[in-house]
Amino acid sequence: AGTTIVFCTGTGSTTQAVDIPSSVISQAGRIIYVIDAGAAAATRNITITTQGSETIVGAATSVINTNRGVKRLVSNGSNLFTF
């Protein structure tokens, strides 16, 4: 199903947002990495959401709040899970 890598650079002064499309989540086995490449997530959190009703480990959002943090997600075709 493939791999998607999202690098967040954190150059602004506000929180960062990553919205994962339903078309990506619908691909069972799809792996998604969201990476705090800018080492700024401790002060500019990265909030991960989905475009539809899909969940991320049962929740509507997931947050990276540590510098150089990484979220590794995998889709089952309906929702996202960490691994």
Side-chain angles (χ1 to χ4, degrees), residues 44-64:
R44 292 186 289 278
N45 296 171
I46 301 167
T47 301
I48 306 165
T49 59
T50 65
Q51 286 184 342
S53 61
E54 304 90 355
T55 61
I56 304 168
V57 194
T61 64
S62 183
V63 176
I64 299 173

Side-chain angles (χ1 to χ4, degrees), residues 12-67:
S13 60
T14 60
T15 60
Q16 302 171 84
V18 175
D19 190 29
I20 301 173
S22 297
S23 61
V24 171
I25 297 170
S26 69
Q27 300 171 37
R30 182 73 171 209
I31 297 172
I32 303 161
Y33 294 94
V34 180
I35 303 166
D36 176 28
T43 55
R44 292 186 289 278
N45 296 171
I46 301 167
T47 301
I48 306 165
T49 59
T50 65
Q51 286 184 342
S53 61
E54 304 90 355
T55 61
I56 304 168
V57 194
T61 64
S62 183
V63 176
I64 299 173
N65 56 12
T66 56
N67 288 344

